[in-house]
Amino acid sequence: MMIKMTEAAINKLKEMAENKEEIARLDAEVAGGCGLSVKFSIVFDEPRRNDLCMEIEGIQLRMDRFTKRYLDEETEIDYQDEQGFLVGDSFISSSCAIEID
């Protein structure tokens, strides 16, 4: 699995990390009855024992195995002032890519 982050997303994570003592986490929220919908968000939280951890330009980003199973093989994360963090393939742009085992 590969996560790509745009420069805007990296800069926003760095800005947010300066003001927090917790670690950034990519989190999946699953909802639905007949159909399944998954909403991803970036939250700041305490580290958990079984987290998958990656580092992007000095910023730690964690996720649990539940979240990882809903990500595509290649997932992009962007940040826009109006919409916040966007996780998925709704845009095409990347400046940093990392591999997750």
Side-chain angles (χ1 to χ4, degrees):
M1 168 192 327
M2 182 182 295
I3 293 187
K4 295 181 178 182
M5 295 188 78
T6 64
E7 185 116 7
I10 291 169
N11 291 339
K12 187 62 176 181
L13 268 179
K14 284 182 177 181
E15 177 187 318
M16 293 173 75
E18 289 177 4
N19 302 325
K20 306 274 185 184
E21 293 182 18
E22 295 149 330
I23 304 292
R25 169 185 306 286
L26 182 58
D27 193 42
E29 181 180 317
V30 178
C34 297
L36 180 71
S37 75
V38 181
K39 178 184 175 191
F40 295 101
S41 59
I42 293 185
V43 297
F44 283 82
D45 198 356
E46 294 292 320
R48 297 178 191 161
R49 183 186 343 177
N50 294 321
D51 279 349
L52 302 169
C53 183
M54 63 203 89
E55 188 170 313
I56 305 164
E57 295 195 21
I59 300 294
Q60 281 191 25
L61 181 64
R62 295 177 176 256
M63 77 177 78
D64 57 25
R65 295 187 191 287
F66 174 81
T67 298
K68 182 182 176 190
R69 102 172 87 162
Y70 291 104
L71 293 172
D72 294 329
E73 190 60 34
E74 186 173 302
T75 301
E76 296 177 302
I77 301 174
D78 190 16
Y79 179 81
Q80 296 178 3
D81 289 330
E82 313 80 41
Q83 297 176 312
F85 287 100
L86 303 170
V87 180
D89 59 1
S90 60
F91 62 94
I92 299 172
S93 177
S94 67
S95 60
C96 179
I98 56 171
E99 278 291 322
I100 302 174
D101 295 328

